[in-house]
Amino acid sequence: MSDDDEITLGRIETEVALLMRFGEATRRATGTAEHRVLDRAAYVILRHLDNSGPQNVSALAAQLNLDGSTVTRQVSALQRDGLITRTPDPSDGRGTVISATTAGLQRMAAVRSARTRLYGDMLADWSDEDRATLAALLGRLNQALVNRNRRR
């Protein structure tokens, strides 16, 4: 690896670390209640169920790269709050299929909308091309992370 590559990769590492830190700080500091109607874990699970449809805990855990027991705890909390339902898994009588409820999808949509507005405000002076490039590069980075975790 060349010195230039090492410098560039060091910058990427620093920027990703800052992105995660500032993103969480921004979420916590945002004054609107819309951002707080779901914690991050609930939001991610509901977004995934909205995009991929009902599924069992094992599939959900695999897609989110989480331990099954972690997802089970999160799903139990979502069920207590009426944001998901569990039904028997037709392919495995011992398991259950997790589905988002209307209330869960409504809360998730409210958070997504609030976050979209927030990013729209923060990136208002960026060109459409720059925003599209950022979206594409973040998508590639996330896919690289998924691919790396699948190889483990």
Side-chain angles (χ1 to χ4, degrees):
M1 179 180 323
S2 75
D3 288 345
D4 285 345
D5 287 340
E6 195 164 327
I7 289 168
T8 299
L9 292 173
R11 284 183 55 211
I12 291 168
E13 183 281 327
T14 298
E15 295 300 333
V16 169
L18 289 171
L19 174 67
M20 291 187 297
R21 169 67 187 103
F22 292 146
E24 183 59 23
T26 300
R27 185 190 67 79
R28 283 193 317 268
T30 300
T32 63
E34 291 171 305
H35 289 270
R36 296 191 183 118
V37 296
L38 290 172
D39 66 26
R40 183 178 43 210
Y43 178 74
V44 170
I45 289 171
L46 288 167
R47 281 294 305 255
H48 183 73
L49 290 172
D50 186 39
N51 290 332
S52 301
Q55 52 199 258
N56 66 36
V57 170
S58 298
L60 191 57
Q63 287 297 313
L64 299 176
N65 196 38
L66 293 170
D67 182 73
S69 63
T70 300
V71 173
T72 297
R73 280 192 309 276
Q74 293 169 341
V75 163
S76 293
L78 288 166
Q79 185 176 18
R80 269 192 317 274
D81 292 341
L83 304 177
I84 62 102
T85 59
R86 295 183 202 221
T87 56
D89 186 340
S91 65
D92 176 5
R94 299 167 297 159
T96 58
V97 173
I98 311 304
S99 303
T101 64
T102 300
L105 292 175
Q106 287 171 340
R107 278 201 205 173
M108 182 273 304
V111 172
R112 182 180 58 212
S113 179
R115 289 180 177 183
T116 299
R117 283 191 309 276
L118 176 65
Y119 283 108
D121 291 346
M122 288 189 305
L123 302 174
D125 61 343
W126 288 37
S127 70
D128 290 346
E129 183 180 337
D130 283 349
R131 286 188 298 232
T133 298
L134 177 62
L137 292 175
L138 288 171
R140 285 178 61 193
L141 176 61
N142 281 324
Q143 190 57 57
L145 290 167
V146 166
N147 293 343
R148 178 171 176 79
N149 289 328
R150 283 187 181 151
R151 288 193 299 260
R152 289 182 164 195

